[in-house]
Amino acid sequence: MVAAALVVAWSQQWALPVIVALSVGVSAYAAFQVPVWCGAVNRDGRIYCRNNAYGVLMGCSKRQHRWQKIKMIVVRSKVGNVSRSVFPTAKEKFNGALAVGGLLSAVAAVIVPVVTGG
């Protein structure tokens, strides 16, 4: 619903603080609260965890999986595995696109008025 409100806010040119708040809300929800699979690599190194997790960036209830997903984003040698572990299904890909879209919307909401002088 917040994502739909964000689209309406952009199309109707609502106030800048409202657009920024909606954008941050969409990104935070997709990154940290949306129900997804964990996707962390199991001990065998080939299979990804299918436990339930909350948020595209968070792992399941296993502490090591939470650290592993965060570490994969930061450590350069693991960047190739990020797409396979963070986005194993279409649902996670959609939620990831939603998170990135919300962040881009927040950045655009701040930059556009500066560039256009409004």
Side-chain angles (χ1 to χ4, degrees), residues 33-105:
Q33 287 297 318
V34 70
V36 294
W37 285 340
C38 174
V41 179
N42 286 328
R43 290 184 183 212
D44 64 0
R46 296 184 319 236
I47 300 172
Y48 297 102
C49 178
R50 297 281 185 156
N51 290 339
N52 292 329
Y54 290 100
V56 173
L57 298 178
M58 304 301 290
C60 62
S61 61
K62 297 176 182 168
R63 186 175 7 161
Q64 183 63 33
H65 286 188
R66 285 181 288 211
W67 282 110
Q68 182 185 26
K69 287 189 76 170
I70 292 172
K71 186 169 56 172
M72 272 194 290
I73 293 169
V74 176
V75 176
R76 186 179 179 104
S77 65
K78 301 283 185 177
V79 171
N81 295 332
V82 170
S83 64
R84 286 189 300 271
S85 66
V86 174
F87 310 118
T89 66
K91 180 181 176 183
E92 281 81 7
K93 289 176 183 158
F94 174 75
N95 292 324
L98 193 64
V100 170
L103 283 175
L104 291 176
S105 174

